[in-house]
Amino acid sequence: MFRKLWKGAVFAAAATLTGAVSPALAEYPEKPVTMVIPLGAGGSHDLNARVITSTIPSFLDQAMIVRLTPGAGGQKGTQEVANSSADGYTLLFSHNYIDMLQQHVENLPYKPMDDFVPVARINYAPIAVVVRADSPYKTFEELIEAAKAKPGEVRMAHSGNWGALFVPAAQIMKARDAYFNMVPYQGGGPAMQALLSGDADLTMGFPSTLSSLLASGDVRVLATAGAERIYPDVPTFGEVGVEGDVGFMHRVVLAPADTPPAVLEKLEASFAALLEDKTYNRMMSRLGENVDYMSGADYQKMREEQAEAYKDLVDSITQ
């Protein structure tokens, strides 16, 4: 009798122990989370992601790892995440042009609305037109005059067709009846390096990529997006004859569409918690970036509006 009772206790204990470590009962996340950036190194997404991944582990209870996967104007990395397991361990750090605009100009290997769900919008950034400090173009008007006088000779480095640098450039060319020679690179970082090395005459950039270059005196900003001036002596797009919604990039975290609600809730709560983190806010301020969080549900509403607006935008640019 004693032997039977003892064996039964052992089996019960083993069953309890097995249940305690069962994957089905484990709490997400059990391992590091990978955040794929579909762009090259050194761009604003890369710089913003370094701040996020250095501070979010305190709230996520796991490390977050950046993986840069540039190619095909952002489609390579985006497809990688679309094809990944919907378990919360592979996320996409993208922007509105890749997410909602490209579907109107190309047959994509994925369906943005069907294959992804927003986790959070991290912030948004106004773009700036940039030349080297030794450029002969001292003002935006001088740049436009050159592009009109010699169509195709003024080379602009950008981050890929219909990307965050390409779209505002196309809007500027249409608004001012000018033409740049558009040269693609695998992200904003490589595009900026092309400018600095002399392979391009201009590019565009965001505050995080420009702050150190302006401090070192390597570049000159000729115009910026937004209703108000970012730099006191630099005009806005509206002041130089480029009206409308031009040059705003929303940085968004997306997950595969079938990611479990509990996982999405944990992720969203972790990103939202960054708003109250002093280190995160200080590091973002040093980058020159704003902190303007939006929940996944709220950004989804904006995303649906973007899908419609970008169809009209593409039509206006290509006609």
Side-chain angles (χ1 to χ4, degrees):
M1 175 66 71
F2 175 78
R3 176 176 292 185
K4 290 182 179 180
L5 291 173
W6 180 81
K7 288 176 66 177
V10 170
F11 291 149
T16 301
L17 182 61
T18 301
V21 297
S22 169
L25 298 179
E27 185 175 351
Y28 170 88
E30 296 181 275
K31 60 183 181 180
V33 174
T34 296
M35 188 158 69
V36 175
I37 301 177
L39 301 163
S44 69
H45 267 66
D46 187 14
L47 296 174
N48 276 259
R50 304 301 169 177
V51 175
I52 294 168
T53 56
S54 68
T55 51
I56 202 170
S58 297
F59 309 105
L60 188 61
D61 302 322
Q62 275 289 349
M64 183 171 283
I65 301 168
V66 170
R67 182 162 71 232
L68 298 169
T69 310
Q75 293 178 32
K76 181 179 179 182
T78 304
Q79 184 176 11
E80 176 184 315
V81 179
N83 293 340
S84 68
S85 298
D87 54 12
Y89 290 104
T90 306
L91 306 176
L92 180 69
F93 190 32
S94 189
H95 60 68
N96 44 310
Y97 297 118
I98 293 175
D99 181 39
M100 286 289 102
L101 186 144
Q102 286 190 353
Q103 62 184 327
H104 298 302
V105 293
E106 297 186 54
N107 291 320
L108 301 176
Y110 48 85
K111 295 181 179 180
M113 278 296 189
D114 295 340
D115 293 342
F116 292 99
V117 58
V119 175
R121 184 191 72 176
I122 300 303
N123 57 16
Y124 69 90
I127 207 164
V129 177
V130 187
V131 297
R132 289 188 309 278
D134 61 358
S135 170
Y137 310 122
K138 307 298 183 185
T139 67
F140 184 84
E141 289 304 322
E142 290 179 358
L143 175 68
I144 293 298
E145 289 172 8
K148 287 182 175 182
K150 298 179 180 179
E153 290 193 20
V154 177
R155 299 161 299 168
M156 178 178 159
H158 65 91
S159 56
N161 290 345
W162 298 102
L165 310 190
F166 180 98
V167 174
Q171 292 173 286
I172 288 170
M173 288 189 287
K174 184 175 180 65
R176 293 302 307 272
D177 193 25
Y179 178 66
F180 303 136
N181 180 2
M182 301 291 286
V183 184
Y185 291 83
Q186 291 190 338
M192 186 63 71
Q193 288 303 314
L195 173 72
L196 297 174
S197 68
D199 289 338
D201 301 301
L202 77 147
T203 187
M204 293 190 182
F206 297 96
S208 54
T209 56
L210 294 177
S211 57
S212 63
L213 295 173
L214 288 169
S216 62
D218 290 327
V219 299
R220 181 187 304 122
V221 177
L222 301 185
T224 63
E228 299 180 359
R229 290 190 175 192
I230 299 173
Y231 310 105
D233 298 328
V234 178
T236 66
F237 286 170
E239 291 178 87
V240 295
V242 182
E243 304 288 348
D245 183 12
V246 181
F248 284 93
M249 181 178 70
H250 298 269
R251 298 189 183 96
V252 294
V253 180
L254 303 166
D258 293 330
T259 302
V263 172
L264 291 174
E265 184 178 345
K266 173 70 173 181
L267 286 167
E268 185 169 320
S270 299
F271 282 106
L274 292 175
L275 287 173
E276 305 302 324
D277 186 76
K278 293 181 180 179
T279 300
Y280 174 78
N281 281 274
R282 183 173 63 252
M283 293 175 71
M284 293 297 279
S285 178
R286 287 176 180 173
L287 273 183
E289 296 288 355
N290 62 50
V291 176
D292 199 328
Y293 171 86
M294 183 180 288
S295 71
D298 286 343
Y299 187 71
Q300 177 64 19
K301 296 174 184 176
M302 179 182 288
R303 200 169 172 239
E304 291 167 0
E305 294 171 358
Q306 289 170 349
E308 295 298 323
Y310 288 154
K311 183 179 185 303
D312 296 336
L313 174 60
V314 169
D315 289 342
S316 71
I317 291 174
T318 55
Q319 287 176 356

